[in-house]
Amino acid sequence: MSTLYTDDPVVSAGELVAQLAARAPAVGANTGLWPGLTIYRFTAPIGPRWEEITSLSLCIVAQGRKAVTIDGEAYRYDQFRYLVLRSHLHFQAEILEASVAKPFLSFVLQIDPALVRQVSSDMVERRTTVFRSDRSPATAEKPAHVSVLDQELLGGVLRFLRATAGDTDRRVLAPLYLQEMVYRVLQREQYARLLSIAAAEAASNPVSAVLEYMRERLSDPITVADLAEQVSLSPSAFSHLFRDVTGRSPYQFLKEMRLDRARELLVDGQWAVARISKEVGYASVSHFIREFRGRFGATPRSYCDAHALQQGLHLQQAGTRT
């Protein structure tokens, strides 16, 4: 029997539960079939615990309830409301509703602020006015926002998840549906909020310029002096500014960028571990493996094998439903 695509909100919500349940066999975090996509399953409520994110993130719950507390303010979301978080946040997370019979199921998707700017530029002509408007500290945007999960956004989410299941669809269709998801968020009351978050992360400041420099040269040897030179600051002054903006030292941030890129290349499955380690700036493969295991809890090979196994299980489960 073929998959039924429908605009019925109950059926769509049920499909989202089924999609995430199939992709999250283990309790806790499960790596998704798209870079920056993590799917969560919990079978019991969990008290507050500290977590952090490094990228602008879209958080959607299919089943259960969750609360995120940042600087004393709680943001609660469930299958009717979604959450947007800005980058480099340290927060407390609590699973409020979950059971074995009805496990908590959700996903977190990291979104490149450049994609937000790209989509918004197609929606409005006066993009520079939006992004360069002055904001005083008193009117600064909050670090997180909760909005209603409507049927149009839910439909985009389901199309994106379906597309990530197959290699060709993942390459061709998934990027289009990801753009649709950003577009749907921008259409709603999150428009100004998401633009503000993306703008804050890519504002014209020295750190923004350095991040782009780092991103384009991950395979090259890079020192703090090299980075400071790009923005005409001393290494000491630059390091202080960089930590104030990102919450990380330049060295730590560069390492995370390299390892995150390595994870994307591993998931893509085109290169061997030795090639990937060189591509992200590691002269020693053994050093790369140690660093990767320290960040992701598994060696590159084990991580890749686990991802392939999860993809195979998902395809097998999808096949039984057709």
Side-chain angles (χ1 to χ4, degrees), residues 218-219 251 254-256 258-259 262 274 276-289 291-292:
L218 291 180
S219 62
Y251 170 78
L254 178 60
K255 183 174 77 170
E256 291 178 359
R258 284 174 162 158
L259 294 173
I276 292 174
S277 69
K278 182 178 180 181
E279 192 69 19
V280 297
Y282 283 86
S284 166
V285 177
S286 61
H287 183 208
F288 165 69
I289 292 173
E291 296 278 4
F292 190 94

Side-chain angles (χ1 to χ4, degrees), residues 47 94 96 110 112 132 142 212 223 238 246 301 307 314:
E94 181 178 5
L96 301 174
Q110 298 176 12
D112 187 346
R132 297 189 181 279
K142 293 181 178 181
E212 189 64 27
T223 66
F238 169 74
T246 68
R301 177 54 54 201
H307 179 271
H314 173 72

Side-chain angles (χ1 to χ4, degrees), residues 24 67 78 99 104 125 138 150 159 180 217 219 223 239 259 261-262 265 268 283 285 298-299:
D78 51 27
S99 67
F104 173 87
E125 295 179 356
D150 60 33
R159 285 185 283 275
E180 181 192 358
R217 295 166 176 80
S219 62
T223 66
S239 293
L259 294 173
R261 176 56 179 158
L265 294 173
D268 190 50
V285 177
T299 65

Side-chain angles (χ1 to χ4, degrees), residues 54-128:
T54 59
S55 302
L56 171 64
S57 297
L58 174 66
C59 314
I60 290 182
V61 169
Q63 187 167 265
R65 290 188 300 125
K66 183 175 181 178
V68 166
T69 302
I70 306 170
D71 296 332
E73 184 168 357
Y75 302 85
R76 294 178 175 83
Y77 61 112
D78 51 27
Q79 63 265 41
F80 306 109
R81 295 176 291 270
Y82 66 95
L83 177 71
V84 173
L85 294 170
R86 67 170 172 79
S87 67
H88 305 295
L89 286 178
H90 195 51
F91 56 88
Q92 283 189 309
E94 181 178 5
I95 305 300
L96 301 174
E97 182 179 306
S99 67
V100 174
K102 294 186 68 175
F104 173 87
L105 296 166
S106 75
F107 73 81
V108 175
L109 177 63
Q110 298 176 12
I111 298 177
D112 187 346
L115 177 60
V116 178
R117 298 195 306 276
Q118 174 189 333
V119 174
S120 67
S121 69
D122 292 334
M123 296 173 65
V124 295
E125 295 179 356
R126 297 166 61 185
R127 184 181 69 169
T128 53

